[in-house]
Amino acid sequence: MSEMLLSFAATFAGGRLSANEFAAAYQEFWRIERDSGVLAGDEPGISEKLSSIFVLADNYSADDDRADYELDEDALRARVAEIVGVDADVL
């Protein structure tokens, strides 16, 4: 199971990483686990969470002139926190 990816996402949601650090690293870790077959062993609910976080990380943009569908740091953190069940305002 991809507990490391969920823990990493929870760490980001808790404010320990910047969105720039998180987005690039999460996508790379996710691809490594996908390519090695680790993700294939996840329960459907876990797989859906991890894939959703991947899409959110892919839609993150640090640019001020981001497209409507792109997320800034606060939006990315809030959406990831919602998925992993962490209250980003408390941590």
Side-chain angles (χ1 to χ4, degrees):
M1 180 185 284
S2 302
E3 290 293 327
M4 187 276 301
L5 281 174
L6 283 176
S7 294
F8 186 61
T11 297
F12 167 67
R16 293 189 57 193
L17 300 164
S18 72
N20 285 330
E21 295 167 324
F22 172 74
Y26 184 89
Q27 290 177 54
E28 185 61 25
F29 290 146
W30 186 91
R31 287 183 183 108
I32 290 168
E33 290 201 0
R34 177 200 60 195
D35 294 347
S36 68
V38 171
L39 291 178
D42 289 336
E43 298 173 17
I46 298 295
S47 181
E48 183 177 342
K49 285 181 180 186
L50 297 175
S51 294
S52 295
I53 294 168
F54 179 88
V55 171
L56 292 173
D58 192 42
N59 286 326
Y60 165 72
S61 174
D63 297 335
D64 288 334
D65 63 342
R66 69 187 66 78
D68 290 341
Y69 66 89
E70 292 177 316
L71 304 171
D72 66 7
E73 181 157 353
D74 292 338
L76 177 61
R77 192 176 311 280
R79 301 276 302 274
V80 170
E82 183 179 309
I83 290 171
V84 297
V86 172
D87 187 351
D89 292 334
V90 172
L91 296 174

